[in-house]
């Protein structure tokens, strides 16, 4: 909830929703009491609040074609509209919540609230608490983080390998530096010998220039030959790498399943069919909700459901009222027992719940099909990408094969040139020049070897620099890995923490509420989180359950464990409300939903209602409770009261 809204007054305007023609109500932060007899539209007002908050548990007034609810909190305005067309009611506007699930479960605590009813009906409490948690999304996020962790581990392993390469590379660099220094010294000595012989040999400048020219040519040819050989090696390495890449791509291409367009079309058809089915079910649920809401409002208006009767002077009238639990049916006009109407409403709620569950099941199936379609499309895209890469690799292989052939031809030409130069130099040799020529050849060879050593040193130095640069990433990678590890631990234990927190919150607040309300011989009500092996279809699976325990005491002080069936109606109602409060706190509903709504508390006596409301009020910005006048009297007169709706 936006913190700017805290402490702000809220105002509500309702027209033609539930049983309300038109009304406006203001709410101050804290407790607001809707006080009045049954059939005074208190429940309709609560459902109007639910509607503008985003809940679908509200209906258009039976004799109206349009209705709306407006909520203003501070400077923010929210609206929910209802429009009837061709017998179907559609909703619109901009409600407070995009997704009302948390509020419906744990904040809007009317008589039909699922969290309240789940305790009395001995339903799966753990499933209800965990329903808003997208466990599939959590598991998907865990898988994604595990892949990220694996990638980081691979990079760290690579860095460890590079660390292992560094000592040998540094030793190689040192050897190369020593070899270069020795080679330079050897070349310097050779040049001194040449200079000494040059001083003793009487030769013509022309002959000397020609010899030196041939020797220079020979040196250049040998250098060119070495470069060509190096280029040939590089091309061969590239060809081997490209050939390996092609094999990998072809292997991956082979592993990808064929996905004919026909299968894609069938998936699209099935997805559209499911969407149509879901839309149909949602319309049916909406229609059922209209019927349920209408009948609930009618019951509320007729005052048929009452747990408290006004005390009067006429004892006979009171007795008649106690005996006559019937009402005129607003559908067929006959007199029927209220119990039959409430039973029919329960059946309608069950049908609505079944359709909601079917809708959720179909939505899950739809998500699976959409995921399957996405997988097919990704595979198709990957197949097309591989085909493009294979084409690129084939083109590059052809180019490199051509370059390799050209280099080999160039190598042959250079070998021929070198042989010719060596032969030519041989013809120029004489007794006087023999030693000089040998020294020049040796010096030429030394210069060539020196150039190769210096090139090798440059390569090793570059390799060391590249590794050292890569190693600077290690600290960042280890930090990322720690973050991923922490997030993985958090996600893996998140579901357990939510369950444990729910149990802890229920047990803590149940103990506090029982202490405040002071039920005789009811010592403790608590939830235990247990692992049980249960049957699901044909398999036995381990499942986490919330077991509800009830401990009573005898007059002698002995304690024994009882069942929910033996609780009084008041005790069951309190237990259901505290369970809903636990869900409210665990999922931090107060962060997004400013209202908590209470209704149908007549099974609890007035003093306990007052104590319970004051206890719960600590957790909601606006707590709105519908109470009978005699129950409202037990609450502080300072609380806001609404008597006319």
């Amino acid at each position: 909830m936006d913190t700017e809204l805290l402490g702000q007054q809220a105002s509500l305007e309702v027209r033609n929703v539930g049983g309300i023609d038109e009304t406006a109500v203001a709410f101050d932060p804290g407790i607001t009491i809707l006080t009045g007899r049954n059939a005074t539209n208190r429940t309709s007002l609560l459902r109007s609040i639910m509607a503008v908050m985003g809940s679908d548990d509200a209906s258009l007034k039976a004799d109206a074609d349009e209705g709306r609810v407006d909520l203003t909190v501070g400077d923010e305005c929210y609206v929910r509209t209802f429009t009837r067309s061709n017998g179907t009611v559609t909703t619109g506007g901009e409600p407070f919540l995009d997704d009302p699930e948390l509020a419906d479960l744990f904040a809007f605590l009317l008589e039909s609230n699922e969290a309240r009813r789940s305790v009395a009906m001995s339903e799966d409490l753990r499933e209800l608490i965990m329903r808003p948690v997208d466990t599939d999304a959590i598991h998907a996020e865990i898988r994604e983080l595990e892949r990220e962790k694996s990638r980081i581990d691979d990079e760290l392993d690579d860095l460890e390998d590079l660390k292992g390469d560094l000592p040998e590379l540094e030793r190689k660099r040192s050897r190369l530096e020593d070899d270069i220094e020795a080679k330079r010294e050897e070349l310097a000595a050779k040049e001194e010998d040449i200079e000494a012989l040059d001083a003793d040999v009487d030769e013509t400048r022309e002959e000397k220039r020609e010899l030196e020219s041939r020797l220079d040519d020979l040196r250049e040819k040998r250098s060119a030959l070495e470069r060509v050989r190096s280029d040939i090696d590089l091309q061969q390495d590239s060809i081997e790498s490209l050939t390996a890449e092609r094999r990998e791509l072809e292997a991956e291409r082979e592993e990808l399943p064929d996905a004919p367009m026909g299968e894609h079309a069938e998936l699209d058809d099935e997805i559209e069919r499911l969407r149509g089915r879901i839309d149909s079910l949602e319309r049916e649920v909406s229609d059922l909700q209209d019927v349920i809401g209408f009948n609930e409002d009618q019951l509320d208006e007729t005052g048929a459901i009452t747990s408290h009767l006004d005390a009067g002077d006429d004892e006979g009238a009171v007795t008649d009222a106690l005996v006559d639990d019937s009402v005129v049916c607003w559908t067929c006009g006959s007199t029927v027992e209220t119990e039959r109407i409430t039973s029919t409403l329960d059946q309608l709620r069950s049908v609505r719940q079944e359709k909601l569950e079917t809708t959720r099941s179909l939505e899950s199936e739809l998500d699976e099909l959409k995921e399957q379609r996405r997988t097919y499309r990704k595979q198709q895209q990957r197949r097309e990408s591989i085909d493009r890469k294979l084409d690129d690799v084939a083109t590059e292989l052809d180019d490199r094969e051509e370059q390799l052939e050209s280099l080999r031809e160039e190598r042959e030409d250079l070998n021929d040139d070198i042989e010719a130069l060596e032969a030519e130099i041989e013809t120029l040799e004489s007794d006087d020049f023999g030693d000089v020529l040998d020294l020049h050849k040796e010096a030429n060879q030394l210069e060539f070897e020196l150039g190769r050593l210096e090139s090798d040193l440059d390569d090793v130095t570059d390799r060391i620099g590249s590794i050292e640069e890569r190693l600077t990433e290690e600290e960042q990678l280890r930090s990322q890995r720690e973050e991923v590890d922490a997030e993985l631990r958090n996600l893996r234990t998140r579901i357990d923490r939510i369950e444990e927190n729910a149990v802890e919150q229920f047990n803590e607040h149940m103990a506090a509420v029982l202490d405040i309300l002071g039920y005789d011989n009811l010592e403790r009500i608590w939830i235990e989180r247990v692992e049980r092996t249960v049957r699901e279809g044909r398999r036995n699976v381990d499942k986490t359950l919330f077991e509800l325990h009830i401990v009573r005491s005898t007059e002698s002080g002995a304690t024994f464990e009882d069942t929910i069936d033996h609780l009084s109606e008041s005790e069951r109602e309190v237990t259901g409300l505290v369970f809903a409060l636990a869900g409210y706190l665990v999922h931090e509903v107060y962060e997004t939903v400013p209202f908590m709504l209470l209704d149908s508390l007549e099974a609890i006596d007035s003093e306990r209602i007052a104590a319970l409301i004051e206890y719960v009020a600590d957790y909601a910005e606006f707590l709105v409770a519908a109470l009978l006048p005699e129950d409202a009297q037990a609450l502080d007169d300072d609380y806001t009261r609404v008597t006319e709706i």
Side-chain angles (χ1 to χ4, degrees):
M1 182 170 58
D2 189 340
T3 55
E4 294 183 359
L5 300 181
L6 295 176
Q8 299 282 342
Q9 187 185 61
S11 61
L12 186 79
E13 295 182 6
V14 185
R15 182 168 60 84
N16 292 336
V17 175
I20 299 174
D21 290 321
E22 190 169 355
T23 193
V25 180
F27 301 98
D28 290 319
I31 298 173
T32 298
I33 307 300
L34 309 181
T35 180
R37 287 286 155 208
N38 289 312
T40 53
N41 284 328
R42 294 170 304 144
T43 301
S44 292
L45 184 64
L46 294 179
R47 292 190 187 279
S48 298
I49 297 173
M50 292 168 59
V52 78
M53 294 301 292
S55 175
D56 292 326
D57 195 7
S59 61
L60 179 64
K61 197 168 185 291
D63 58 356
D65 292 328
E66 292 182 350
R68 65 183 288 141
V69 185
D70 294 271
L71 173 68
T72 302
V73 185
D75 295 330
E76 299 294 328
C77 298
Y78 308 92
V79 64
R80 192 74 180 278
T81 61
F82 297 82
T83 305
R84 194 189 314 275
S85 177
N86 298 324
T88 300
V89 176
T90 57
T91 57
E94 296 183 2
F96 192 95
L97 300 171
D98 294 327
D99 183 359
E101 182 179 34
L102 280 172
D104 278 333
L105 283 174
F106 305 119
F108 301 155
L109 307 183
L110 277 59
E111 183 181 20
S112 59
N113 173 264
E114 193 172 354
R116 284 180 63 174
R117 291 164 58 87
S118 62
V119 173
M121 302 294 290
S122 300
E123 294 178 356
D124 188 343
L125 302 183
R126 187 262 179 193
E127 185 278 330
L128 193 140
I129 282 287
M130 297 304 296
R131 187 183 300 168
V133 180
D134 191 347
T135 53
D136 289 340
I138 292 175
H139 291 310
E141 193 171 352
I142 287 173
R143 289 193 295 272
E144 181 61 31
L145 285 172
E146 286 173 339
R147 286 192 291 270
E148 176 67 8
K149 180 183 174 184
S150 178
R151 183 192 65 77
I152 294 173
D153 286 341
D154 289 343
E155 289 195 40
L156 288 172
D157 289 342
D158 290 343
L159 291 182
E160 287 299 322
D161 292 340
L162 292 175
K163 277 185 185 178
D165 293 341
L166 264 183
E168 179 57 33
L169 286 169
E170 288 170 346
R171 286 192 292 269
K172 185 176 181 180
R173 179 171 63 180
S174 181
R175 287 195 303 270
L176 285 168
E177 289 171 344
D178 292 342
D179 291 345
I180 288 171
E181 184 63 28
K183 196 66 69 176
R184 284 173 177 165
E185 291 175 358
E186 189 178 351
L187 179 60
K190 196 66 65 179
E191 288 173 345
E192 287 177 2
D193 291 342
I194 292 172
E195 288 177 4
L197 282 176
D198 280 346
D200 297 334
V201 176
D202 184 16
E203 58 185 355
T204 65
R205 292 181 179 179
E206 184 64 32
E207 290 171 334
K208 187 175 182 180
R209 281 198 296 271
E210 187 176 358
L211 284 171
E212 288 176 348
S213 175
R214 294 295 181 272
L215 288 171
D216 288 341
D217 291 343
L218 182 61
R219 184 164 50 248
E220 290 175 2
K221 293 292 183 183
R222 282 176 174 162
S223 295
L225 180 60
E226 184 63 24
R227 286 196 299 273
V228 168
R229 285 172 177 162
S230 177
D231 289 343
I232 288 173
D233 291 339
L234 288 174
Q235 290 296 340
Q236 287 174 332
D237 290 342
S238 296
I239 288 171
E240 290 177 4
S241 176
L242 286 167
T243 303
E245 183 181 358
R246 181 169 62 184
R247 284 196 298 269
E248 291 174 2
L249 288 170
E250 288 172 344
E252 185 180 353
R253 178 67 172 79
E254 194 67 28
E255 290 175 0
L256 286 172
D258 291 332
M261 294 307 295
E263 290 187 16
H264 287 179
E266 290 177 4
L267 265 180
D268 291 339
D269 291 343
E270 182 63 12
I271 287 171
E272 288 305 314
R273 187 190 68 79
L274 283 177
R275 282 174 174 163
R277 177 65 177 142
I278 290 169
D279 290 343
S280 176
L281 282 169
E282 287 176 344
R283 286 194 296 271
E284 291 175 15
V285 168
S286 176
D287 291 342
L288 277 171
Q289 183 55 48
D290 288 342
V291 173
I292 292 169
F294 170 75
N295 282 276
E296 286 174 338
D297 293 336
Q298 290 298 320
L299 279 174
D300 190 31
E301 290 177 7
T302 57
I305 302 177
T306 55
S307 298
H308 294 262
L309 295 171
D310 290 333
D313 296 333
D314 188 349
E315 262 184 47
V318 173
T319 303
D320 291 343
L322 288 169
V323 173
D324 187 11
D325 189 16
S326 62
V327 66
V328 175
C329 177
W330 43 85
T331 302
C332 64
S334 60
T335 301
V336 294
E337 294 181 357
T338 302
E339 185 178 347
R340 287 185 60 188
I341 295 178
T342 56
S343 173
T344 301
L345 272 175
D346 286 340
Q347 292 174 9
L348 288 173
R349 292 189 188 105
S350 297
V351 171
R352 176 180 177 272
Q353 187 61 34
E354 288 173 5
K355 290 186 180 294
L356 284 172
E357 291 172 358
T358 301
T359 301
R360 282 195 288 269
S361 174
L362 290 175
E363 286 173 342
S364 176
E365 185 179 349
L366 178 61
D367 289 340
E368 291 177 4
L369 289 176
K370 287 161 72 176
E371 180 61 30
Q372 185 179 352
R373 183 171 65 179
R374 281 193 294 270
T375 300
Y376 279 169
R377 287 176 176 171
K378 285 181 181 177
Q379 289 171 345
Q380 183 67 29
Q381 291 168 356
R382 181 56 183 160
R383 189 181 300 106
E384 293 170 355
S385 174
I386 289 173
D387 289 340
R388 287 192 297 272
K389 286 184 179 179
L390 283 171
D391 290 340
D392 293 341
V393 168
T395 301
E396 189 172 354
L397 272 172
D398 290 341
D399 292 343
R400 291 193 179 275
E401 290 284 0
E402 290 178 6
Q403 293 177 39
L404 180 61
E405 185 61 30
S406 176
L407 286 168
R408 285 172 175 166
E409 291 175 358
E410 187 178 354
R411 181 180 63 184
E412 294 301 320
D413 293 341
L414 285 170
N415 280 326
D416 293 341
D417 292 344
I418 289 170
E419 289 177 7
L421 280 170
E422 288 175 344
E424 189 175 347
I425 290 170
E426 287 293 330
T427 62
L428 294 174
E429 287 184 351
S430 65
D431 292 338
D432 294 332
F433 284 95
D435 292 340
V436 174
L437 289 172
D438 288 341
L439 286 173
H440 274 289
K441 286 181 180 179
E442 291 171 6
N444 186 55
Q445 183 62 30
L446 286 171
E447 287 178 347
F448 173 74
E449 292 173 358
L450 180 61
R452 187 171 59 187
L453 286 171
E454 288 173 340
S455 177
D456 290 345
L457 178 61
D458 289 340
D459 291 342
V460 171
T461 301
D462 290 343
R463 179 63 176 156
I464 290 173
S466 175
I467 290 175
E468 289 175 342
E469 185 177 355
R470 283 286 312 278
L471 291 178
T472 60
E473 303 171 6
E474 183 177 16
E475 184 177 349
Q476 181 181 359
L477 284 171
R478 294 198 181 280
S479 176
Q480 289 177 0
R481 191 184 187 283
E482 289 177 4
E483 291 175 3
V484 170
D485 264 340
E487 197 166 351
L488 271 173
R489 287 193 299 271
N490 179 62
L491 285 172
R492 284 169 177 159
T493 59
R494 183 179 173 190
I495 295 173
D496 288 339
R497 290 200 313 274
I498 292 173
E499 292 176 354
E500 291 168 358
N501 193 19
V503 170
E504 181 181 345
Q505 292 282 0
F506 177 86
N507 292 340
E508 175 185 337
H509 291 289
M510 195 74 242
V513 169
L514 287 180
D515 184 57
I516 292 171
L517 302 187
Y519 284 103
D520 294 336
N521 78 2
L522 187 57
E523 294 293 321
R524 185 185 179 198
I525 298 177
W526 59 290
I527 286 176
E528 180 183 12
R529 181 171 174 261
V530 297
E531 296 288 334
R532 292 281 187 267
T533 300
V534 298
R535 191 78 172 174
E536 284 192 358
R538 298 181 179 180
R539 298 182 303 123
N540 290 328
V541 296
D542 292 332
K543 192 173 182 180
T544 303
L545 300 174
F546 287 179
E547 288 190 351
L548 185 67
H549 296 277
I550 298 164
V551 179
R552 288 192 178 279
S553 61
T554 63
E555 292 182 359
S556 63
T559 59
F560 63 96
E561 186 154 339
D562 205 350
T563 66
I564 188 69
D565 297 331
H566 294 157
L567 288 180
S568 68
E569 187 178 359
S570 171
E571 292 165 343
R572 282 199 301 272
E573 287 292 342
V574 169
T575 304
L577 287 168
V578 173
F579 179 70
L581 177 62
Y584 181 86
L585 297 174
V586 165
H587 293 292
E588 299 178 340
V589 182
Y590 50 83
E591 293 285 352
T592 54
V593 183
F595 282 91
M596 178 179 281
L597 311 178
L598 294 175
D599 191 16
S600 301
L601 303 179
E602 290 85 355
I604 309 172
D605 62 82
S606 301
E607 295 300 324
R608 288 184 172 125
I609 288 175
L612 184 63
I613 286 177
E614 290 175 352
Y615 181 84
V616 172
D618 290 337
Y619 303 99
E621 179 74 1
F622 299 98
L623 188 145
V624 184
L627 299 179
L628 293 170
E630 53 267 37
D631 292 331
Q633 289 175 1
L635 284 152
D636 195 312
D637 290 338
D638 291 338
Y639 296 142
T640 302
R641 279 170 163 75
V642 177
T643 57
E644 297 292 334
I645 300 174

